[in-house]
């Protein structure tokens, strides 16, 4: 049997530094170009998107949504869902995360006719209840970060010399050290080349920057002082050759690209993340050609294109107890979810979001609504609050920053959540119960942080 190879570009229309007025450009020049490539070349891939990304595609480019729906229904694209908004699940209460996951699956089904059973965890931010909320939301499997898992083994942490810091962006360009250490160790390689299963029954498929980072640099064709020459196609061929042998010896597949879909057609966030440069979503049409070259390199190396669902169907997943040892608060790229929680934007906005959540829970309890299945104005309040918690209004830390518009979107969502809470109290005839929740005081609290945040200087304004 040929080893299988999974490509899973993932899309986030709420990306930091992606202005709302440029969202259509990204849809047409990144997502649609990817769908055209899949259709024209008869590829099979997975495609992940948040619920709001799916809605924005449908609203701004019905033509693009028609293409995606056709590919999904023809089995050429397997839908993979994340929360409705791009939120850092490890940093917010589980009730909010579970609500957002259920909402996102519903949106996917509404627009494509298929309800995803494979999940993606934004930024792979980790806390142990991630496994539970995906399972509770109806997912059968979750795409995971292998580097976070492998760095939970003390011997790998020691051998690589990598460490976590809540103030650090990532260790992305150092993760090749993991590959150097595990290259001849089947007991570790098996996590990357096989599906596994957590104790609650959720199946797991792992991606790694050991492969993805090389492919990202090839897509960008960049050096920027880090390399003398760009990553060559020959290096890509060599990478697929190395991992083909490992997959044959220890498992059945690899997942070399589970990275941002926006890198296929644009520079997305590359220059901010790598070099702290104020360059965002510049056109990179050659990256579409290079993505095709990557896929063809895998096919020429003897791989078979597959989806996460294909891999899960072909064999039994082995029990994965090690997943319970992934460190609370880490994220992908050798970074941490707690880095998102420790920016000045999070420190200002998160307490207000928590107050709004407490209001929703207290009012829903008083009105006899199940907080896990809200309806009416309380459901709209929760949806607005989830959008206020979007991670891209809190990232990145100094010397860079989110976009002013990213922060503005969160603030507007807080006002909206408070307004829906007020309407729920009026409709429930409890508007005088100010001891339960005070929309008036909350409005002044949001105004206060609004003034603070809008008074700041933002990175893109340099």
């Amino acid at each position: 049997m040929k080893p299988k190879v999974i490509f899973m570009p993932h899309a986030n229309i709420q990306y930091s530094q992606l202005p709302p007025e440029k969202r259509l450009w990204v849809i047409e020049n990144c997502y649609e170009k990817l769908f055209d490539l899949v259709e024209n070349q008869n590829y099979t891939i997975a495609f992940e998107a948040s619920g709001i990304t799916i809605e924005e595609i449908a609203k701004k480019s019905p033509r693009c949504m028609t293409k995606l729906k056709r590919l999904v229904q023809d089995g050429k694209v397997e839908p993979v869902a994340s929360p409705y908004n791009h939120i850092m699940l490890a940093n917010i209460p589980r009730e909010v995360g579970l609500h957002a996951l259920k909402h996102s699956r519903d949106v996917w089904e509404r627009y494509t006719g298929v309800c995803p059973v494979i999940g993606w965890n934004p930024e792979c931010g980790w806390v142990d209840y991630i496994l539970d909320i995906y399972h509770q939301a109806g997912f059968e499997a979750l795409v995971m970060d292998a580097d976070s898992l492998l760095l939970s083994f003390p011997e790998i942490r020691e051998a690589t010399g990598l460490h976590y810091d809540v103030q650090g962006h990532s260790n992305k360009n150092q993760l090749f050290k993991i590959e150097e250490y595990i290259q001849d160790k089947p007991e570790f390689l098996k996590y990357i080349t096989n599906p596994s299963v957590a104790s609650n029954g959720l199946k797991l498929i792992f991606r790694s920057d050991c492969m993805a980072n090389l492919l990202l640099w090839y897509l960008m064709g960049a050096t920027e002082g880090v390399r003398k020459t760009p990553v060559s196609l020959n290096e890509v061929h060599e990478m697929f050759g190395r991992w083909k042998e490992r997959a044959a010896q220890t498992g059945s597949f690899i997942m070399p690209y589970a990275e941002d879909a926006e890198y296929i057609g644009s520079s997305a966030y590359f220059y901010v993340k790598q070099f702290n440069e104020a360059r965002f979503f510049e056109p990179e049409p050659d990256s579409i050609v290079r993505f095709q070259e990557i896929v063809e390199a895998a096919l020429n190396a003897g791989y078979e294109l597959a989806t996460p669902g294909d891999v899960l169907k072909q064999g039994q997943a082995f029990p994965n107890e090690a997943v319970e040892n992934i460190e609370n608060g880490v994220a992908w790229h050798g970074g941490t979810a707690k880095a998102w929680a420790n920016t000045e934007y999070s420190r200002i906005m998160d307490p207000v979001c928590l107050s709004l959540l407490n209001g929703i829970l207290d009012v829903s309890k008083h009105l006899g609504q199940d907080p896990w299945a809200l309806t009416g104005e309380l459901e709209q309040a929760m949806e607005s609050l989830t959008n206020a918690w979007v991670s891209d209004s809190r990232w990145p830390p100094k010397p860079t920053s989110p976009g002013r518009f990213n922060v503005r979107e969160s603030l507007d969502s807080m006002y909206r959540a408070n307004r829906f809470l007020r309407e729920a109290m009026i409709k429930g005839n409890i508007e005088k119960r100010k001891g339960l929740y005070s929309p008036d005081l909350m409005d002044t609290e949001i105004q206060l942080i609004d003034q603070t945040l809008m008074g700041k200087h933002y990175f893109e304004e340099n």
Side-chain angles (χ1 to χ4, degrees):
M1 286 181 59
K2 290 184 177 181
K4 289 181 167 53
V5 60
I6 302 170
F7 291 94
M8 192 195 82
H10 48 83
N12 167 27
I13 207 68
Q14 292 181 297
Y15 222 126
S16 180
Q17 297 293 352
L18 174 56
E21 61 270 18
K22 199 169 184 177
R23 286 177 175 176
L24 176 60
W25 184 90
V26 167
I27 291 169
E28 292 180 338
N29 289 276
C30 298
Y31 311 156
E32 187 171 9
K33 292 292 196 301
L34 172 65
F35 302 152
D36 288 341
L37 181 63
V38 170
E39 186 167 43
N40 294 338
Q41 300 300 319
N42 197 31
Y43 290 156
T44 300
I45 68 167
F47 180 73
E48 184 278 322
S50 64
I52 193 171
T53 300
I54 294 298
E55 286 185 343
E56 285 286 278
I57 293 173
K59 182 173 75 172
K60 296 185 181 301
S61 181
R63 179 188 66 210
C64 184
M65 178 50 66
T66 297
K67 293 179 180 180
L68 174 59
K69 181 178 180 180
R70 182 170 62 246
L71 289 169
V72 168
Q73 296 194 341
D74 288 347
K76 305 308 295 180
V77 167
E78 178 168 45
V80 178
S82 59
Y84 175 77
N85 300 102
H86 195 267
I87 49 181
M88 181 62 82
L89 289 169
N91 293 344
I92 64 175
R94 59 189 298 166
E95 297 93 337
V96 181
L98 179 59
H99 183 274
L101 286 170
K102 291 179 177 178
H103 186 195
S104 189
R105 293 186 75 213
D106 290 343
V107 169
W108 263 99
E109 186 171 25
R110 186 187 320 142
Y111 286 102
T112 70
V114 177
C115 186
V117 295
I118 310 295
W120 168 253
N121 173 18
E123 318 295 345
C124 298
W126 193 252
V127 65
D128 64 354
Y129 63 68
I130 295 291
L131 297 172
D132 292 331
I133 61 175
Y134 274 87
H135 193 257
Q136 291 170 25
F139 290 93
E140 296 177 9
L142 178 61
V143 177
M144 298 277 293
D145 179 53
D147 306 318
S148 298
L149 174 76
L150 293 170
L151 287 172
S152 71
F153 290 93
E155 65 184 279
I156 296 180
R157 185 82 70 90
E158 181 179 353
T160 59
L162 298 177
H163 69 282
Y164 291 114
D165 183 341
V166 300
Q167 298 182 79
H169 264 211
S170 71
N171 289 299
K172 188 178 179 70
N173 292 331
Q174 302 298 316
L175 295 181
F176 69 88
K177 296 177 181 178
I178 295 177
E179 181 179 1
E180 289 180 347
Y181 184 73
I182 69 171
Q183 60 182 315
D184 58 352
K185 297 178 175 61
E187 67 270 26
F188 296 126
L189 289 169
K190 69 177 183 179
Y191 292 105
I192 300 178
T193 61
N194 294 277
S196 54
V197 60
S199 59
N200 68 349
L202 188 70
K203 295 182 176 65
L204 311 172
I205 293 175
F206 287 87
R207 51 82 64 200
S208 171
D209 275 332
C210 293
M211 291 173 271
N213 199 37
L214 178 78
L215 299 184
L216 173 58
W217 277 79
Y218 181 69
L219 281 177
M220 294 296 95
T223 57
E224 307 303 321
V226 176
R227 291 173 55 107
K228 291 183 178 180
T229 58
V231 173
S232 69
L233 187 56
N234 187 54
E235 290 177 79
V236 174
H237 281 287
E238 290 175 351
M239 183 273 287
F240 281 124
R242 292 195 306 272
W243 281 96
K244 183 183 178 183
E245 293 180 12
R246 295 165 186 167
Q249 293 170 3
T250 65
S252 61
F253 76 93
I254 59 170
M255 191 176 203
Y257 193 87
E259 264 284 2
D260 300 347
E262 294 80 9
Y263 287 127
I264 304 169
S266 88
S267 66
Y269 210 58
F270 184 78
Y271 293 100
V272 188
K273 182 178 291 184
Q274 297 289 349
F275 312 111
N276 289 333
E277 294 183 17
R279 298 171 59 186
F280 326 106
F281 296 91
E282 297 173 350
E284 283 284 352
D286 289 345
S287 65
I288 301 164
V289 177
R290 286 193 284 266
F291 185 74
Q292 181 178 352
E293 290 173 344
I294 288 170
V295 177
E296 292 297 328
L299 293 173
N300 291 336
Y303 291 88
E304 176 185 347
L305 292 176
T307 67
D310 293 333
V311 165
L312 293 173
K313 289 174 186 174
Q314 76 175 28
Q316 186 173 359
F318 70 84
N320 188 339
E321 297 178 358
V323 71
E324 298 174 3
N325 300 331
I326 298 176
E327 191 167 350
N328 183 313
V330 303
W332 69 343
H333 304 331
T336 71
K338 290 185 182 295
W340 271 261
N342 279 282
T343 65
E344 57 183 319
Y345 308 94
S346 295
R347 291 175 183 272
I348 293 171
M349 288 190 282
D350 286 0
V352 180
C353 287
L354 281 171
S355 294
L356 284 163
L357 176 62
N358 289 335
I360 292 171
L361 297 178
D362 290 343
V363 171
S364 65
K365 181 180 179 181
H366 193 82
L367 294 178
Q369 280 204 34
D370 182 353
W372 300 97
L374 298 171
T375 60
E377 288 79 10
L378 287 175
E379 180 182 22
Q380 291 175 296
M382 181 67 88
E383 290 176 3
S384 299
L385 172 59
T386 305
N387 198 51
W389 244 310
V390 65
S391 67
D392 293 82
S393 66
R394 292 154 167 80
W395 187 261
K398 292 179 179 179
T400 50
S401 78
R404 178 180 294 274
F405 54 87
N406 295 113
V407 178
R408 180 75 262 163
E409 183 177 30
S410 282
L411 290 168
D412 291 344
S413 296
M414 291 180 208
Y415 285 119
R416 193 161 55 249
N418 189 48
R419 185 172 69 250
F420 283 126
L421 259 173
R422 184 191 300 274
E423 292 174 4
M425 293 178 73
I426 293 172
K427 189 173 181 179
N429 200 30
I430 59 169
E431 68 269 27
K432 294 181 180 180
R433 292 289 305 272
K434 297 295 180 67
L436 189 66
Y437 180 78
S438 173
D440 295 327
L441 275 180
M442 178 54 68
D443 194 56
T444 66
E445 188 170 357
I446 300 170
Q447 289 177 30
L448 181 61
I449 67 166
D450 190 331
Q451 294 170 11
T452 299
L453 290 168
M454 289 297 101
K456 290 182 174 295
H457 178 81
Y458 287 84
F459 184 56
E460 79 275 12
E461 296 167 350
N462 289 339

